[in-house]
Amino acid sequence: MLLTDLLTPGRIRIPFRAEDKASAIRQLVELFAADAGIPQPEDVLRAVQEREAVLSTGVGNGVAIPHGKSAAVPHLGMAVGLLESPVDFEALDGQPVRLVFLLVGPEAEAGAHIKALSRISRLVRHAGVREKLFAAHDADDFLAALEEAEGA
């Protein structure tokens, strides 16, 4: 599974503006739902918020991966926002977040969900990959950088 298979240009927001973590998550859920044709984004938002309440998904190095599982989502998918101004995400390293990967899917795809989370975490652990993603000017730049990272 490639992360680029879970993402479309319509699910990437650059530049992305949010006042705080809650706003960033809400906007990405709405972006994902609109592009994926999900009529009830509230269910998806609730699932992601419930997961976020357990432990922050700010994984460090300016990256967060909020995620959740919802029956409203037919297939695993992602949305991404590259924040114009970093926001506090209560990240593990205490640093504000610039890049937010939203990952959502149905309960039936729990295994794929975990694999995708792991793949994102592994990729963004590399400073060079993060820098290329942070430098993206638009959705096409971002997808190209992600595709390059996945091919490496």
Side-chain angles (χ1 to χ4, degrees), residues 7 11-13 16 18 20-21 23-26 28-29 31 48 52 57-58 62-67 78-83 85-87 89 96-103 120 134 142:
L7 201 53
R11 295 180 191 169
I12 300 171
R13 173 92 26 95
F16 181 48
D20 55 25
K21 174 170 76 167
S23 172
I25 291 171
R26 183 179 57 259
L28 285 177
V29 166
L31 180 67
V48 175
E52 193 68 32
T57 55
V63 179
I65 315 170
H67 57 279
M78 287 193 328
V80 172
L82 181 58
L83 287 153
S85 299
V87 298
F89 230 89
V97 163
R98 291 183 55 206
L99 179 58
V100 183
F101 288 88
L102 171 77
L103 180 68
I120 296 166
F134 287 157
F142 190 89

Side-chain angles (χ1 to χ4, degrees), residues 3 5 9 16 22 27 45 66 69 78 88 90 105-106 110 113 115-116 118 138-140 144:
L3 297 176
D5 293 340
F16 181 48
Q27 288 182 60
L45 180 59
K69 297 179 197 108
M78 287 193 328
D88 179 20
E90 301 163 14
H113 188 104
K115 285 180 185 174
S118 176
D138 57 29
D140 291 334

Side-chain angles (χ1 to χ4, degrees), residues 15-130:
F16 181 48
R17 294 175 188 91
E19 317 75 63
D20 55 25
K21 174 170 76 167
S23 172
I25 291 171
R26 183 179 57 259
Q27 288 182 60
L28 285 177
V29 166
E30 289 169 357
L31 180 67
F32 175 82
D35 188 71
I38 295 170
Q40 297 175 331
E42 312 80 38
D43 294 340
V44 179
L45 180 59
R46 187 171 24 265
V48 175
Q49 289 171 329
E50 286 172 2
R51 167 57 190 85
E52 193 68 32
V54 173
L55 179 67
S56 174
T57 55
V59 296
N61 295 309
V63 179
I65 315 170
H67 57 279
K69 297 179 197 108
S70 168
V73 181
H75 303 288
L76 188 64
M78 287 193 328
V80 172
L82 181 58
L83 287 153
E84 202 170 58
S85 299
V87 298
D88 179 20
F89 230 89
E90 301 163 14
L92 301 175
D93 64 357
Q95 298 300 308
V97 163
R98 291 183 55 206
L99 179 58
V100 183
F101 288 88
L102 171 77
L103 180 68
V104 292
E107 291 285 345
E109 292 185 29
H113 188 104
I114 291 168
K115 285 180 185 174
L117 283 171
S118 176
R119 191 159 179 82
I120 296 166
S121 295
R122 275 196 313 273
L123 286 176
V124 299
R125 220 177 286 151
H126 302 284
V129 171
R130 279 194 318 274

